[in-house]
Amino acid sequence: KMTKVWQLEGELLAGQLTEAAELLKAGELVAFPTETVYGLGADARSTQAVEQIFAAKGRPSDNPLIVHIASIGQLDELVLPYPELASRLMQQLWPGPLTIVLPVKPGAVSPLVTAGLATVGVRMPDHAAALELIGQANCPVAAPSANRSGRPSPTTAAHVLEDLDGAIAGIVDGGATGVGLESTVVELAGDNVIRILRPGGVTPEQLLLAAPDAMIDTPPAKAEATEAPRSPGMKYTHYAPQGDMEIVQGDAVEMTAYIRQAIAQAKSEGLKTGALVFAEREGDFDADVVLTYGGGKRQLEQAAQRLYAALRQFDAEGVQRIWAEGCEEQGIGLALMNRLAKAAGNQVTRL
Ligand code: TXA
Ligand code: MG
């Protein structure tokens, strides 16, 4: 199968997405940009279409998919009545990188989308091309991140092609995505508890601003192995590069010394080494591959944007041992540390 690429340049013109929307309607898979990462879209109502998502990604079928909508009006046909707190979050934070888990209307989407749960995760992406595509296709669009399972989420169309060329009908290329990490997934408990199932593009601080009376329930940085995963996706090891990775957090001087020593040791064992650090420390390490998050410590947004491309680059260069500088779990730093810890299989060293 040939994978078509629709290149979007400059202002979005309605006609540019007609063919992509027609393919979605016809039950084909179309990857598209969102503000977080690229999604792999299919008509959420069609089991035959959604089946192809799992096949193309090599994704376990017990992991449910997020349904993307372009307008609040589309929600009525998808979900049962939901709490007032949910509408407040939608009003304040949609379109945006927030997925809300709501009671699903029986029969509204393919059972493959919900993986048999009584709930469905819904979000309205903050991206003009995504909204236009979903609007033109005129259906709820199920879309996981457009990577092969176990690979970092794609933040460019080139990443999608790397993983899925020939396996999907097309890709809408809207350039690099803005946030660079996936959406925050929340469920609501009782009248005023917002439980974060997956930290992401919307920070706990933003949730609290949108719902000042709510309690925010944040998951522990390290999920307890014994606890049944609330968000089915959390139990899979995602985002892991092929090289063995360790996150190092703490005082800059100690961290630099620790990583330098570890690199020297690994090199003496003949291993290919990599380091991922903030730009101000780029020159401090003599790893075989030194990548930066860009900016200084406080520019966590830029770090989030670059993380997945960096992990892909380590793989492309065959790096065997990776050390990455951690950050504080504030703002987008919470999601960034969550993805770093996952990529490192929870090898996080706090100095
Ligand atoms: O930013 C994003 O969310 C991207 C873009 C494409 O929108 N999508 C994305 O999808 O990250 P995916 O499939 O890679 O991750 C979906 C996450 C998984 O952790 C899944 O377990 C959780 O959302 N999820 C989906 N439906 C759920 C539900 N009904 N209850 C609990 N968790 C759910
Ligand atoms: Mg994913």
Side-chain angles (χ1 to χ4, degrees):
K1 193 192 287 188
M2 272 285 290
T3 299
K4 287 203 164 200
V5 180
W6 300 278
Q7 201 89 45
L8 303 182
E9 271 152 25
E11 204 185 326
L12 183 64
L13 308 169
Q16 287 178 303
L17 293 172
T18 311
E19 193 183 7
E22 289 304 324
L23 285 166
L24 268 184
K25 275 190 189 172
E28 299 282 340
L29 301 186
V30 175
F32 61 95
T34 77
E35 80 280 38
T36 59
V37 300
Y38 274 73
L40 180 58
D43 182 344
R45 302 165 306 186
S46 162
T47 291
Q48 172 255 311
V50 175
E51 248 168 10
Q52 294 182 62
I53 289 182
F54 289 91
K57 282 186 58 102
R59 179 179 175 114
S61 62
D62 60 345
N63 193 2
L65 306 176
I66 294 170
V67 173
H68 296 65
I69 58 174
S71 69
I72 292 280
Q74 279 185 284
L75 211 50
D76 289 344
E77 66 196 45
L78 284 177
V79 301
L80 297 172
Y82 49 82
E84 155 67 24
L85 180 54
S87 11
R88 203 166 337 142
L89 295 179
M90 290 170 197
Q91 276 158 26
Q92 307 272 331
L93 296 167
W94 278 3
L98 178 70
T99 296
I100 309 177
V101 173
L102 298 168
V104 68
K105 199 177 250 188
V109 295
S110 161
L112 289 180
V113 170
T114 55
L117 298 173
T119 55
V120 61
V122 186
R123 87 177 191 98
M124 189 190 293
D126 186 14
H127 192 288
L131 293 172
E132 183 64 32
L133 178 69
I134 299 163
Q136 282 191 34
N138 194 28
C139 63
V141 175
S145 49
N147 51 285
R148 294 257 327 150
S149 244
R151 294 267 287 158
S153 293
T155 54
T156 67
H159 294 162
V160 180
L161 276 172
E162 250 173 54
D163 285 13
L164 297 172
D165 193 11
I168 63 178
I171 303 175
V172 176
D173 182 354
T177 58
V179 177
L181 302 177
E182 302 82 351
S183 64
T184 302
V185 180
V186 300
E187 71 178 4
L188 307 175
D191 283 341
N192 75 332
V193 177
I194 302 171
R195 185 174 292 137
I196 298 178
L197 300 179
R198 177 179 75 177
V202 164
T203 65
E205 293 86 345
Q206 287 174 298
L207 289 170
L208 206 52
L209 271 179
D213 300 331
M215 303 258 304
I216 314 282
D217 184 0
T218 311
K222 261 191 198 178
E224 297 296 329
T226 50
E227 199 184 323
R230 276 231 176 64
S231 185
M234 302 306 274
K235 72 170 180 275
Y236 297 104
T237 40
H238 272 305
Y239 324 119
Q242 268 135 50
D244 190 50
M245 186 167 170
E246 179 180 350
I247 313 304
V248 188
Q249 243 180 343
D251 169 75
V253 174
E254 282 179 65
M255 184 204 61
T256 303
Y258 179 96
I259 295 179
R260 285 175 63 96
Q261 203 273 323
I263 289 170
Q265 172 68 32
K267 278 186 152 180
S268 77
E269 291 167 24
L271 296 167
K272 186 163 184 182
T273 57
L276 176 57
V277 297
F278 286 92
E280 67 233 41
R281 277 182 281 286
E282 184 174 10
D284 294 349
F285 303 98
D286 64 348
D288 299 299
V289 179
V290 179
L291 302 179
T292 79
Y293 293 114
K297 261 278 185 204
R298 258 163 255 102
Q299 279 152 289
L300 296 183
E301 278 79 13
Q302 197 176 39
Q305 209 171 28
R306 291 198 186 181
L307 173 66
Y308 287 144
L311 295 183
R312 280 177 183 263
Q313 196 174 335
F314 286 130
D315 275 355
E317 305 215 27
V319 172
Q320 295 162 294
R321 289 278 186 284
I322 304 162
W323 288 271
E325 186 176 345
C327 66
E328 283 176 32
E329 290 170 294
Q330 296 270 314
I332 193 72
L334 180 69
L336 184 58
M337 274 303 287
N338 172 272
R339 303 309 191 273
L340 279 168
K342 279 190 174 193
N346 277 325
Q347 291 192 73
V348 180
T349 301
R350 296 188 168 86
L351 298 173

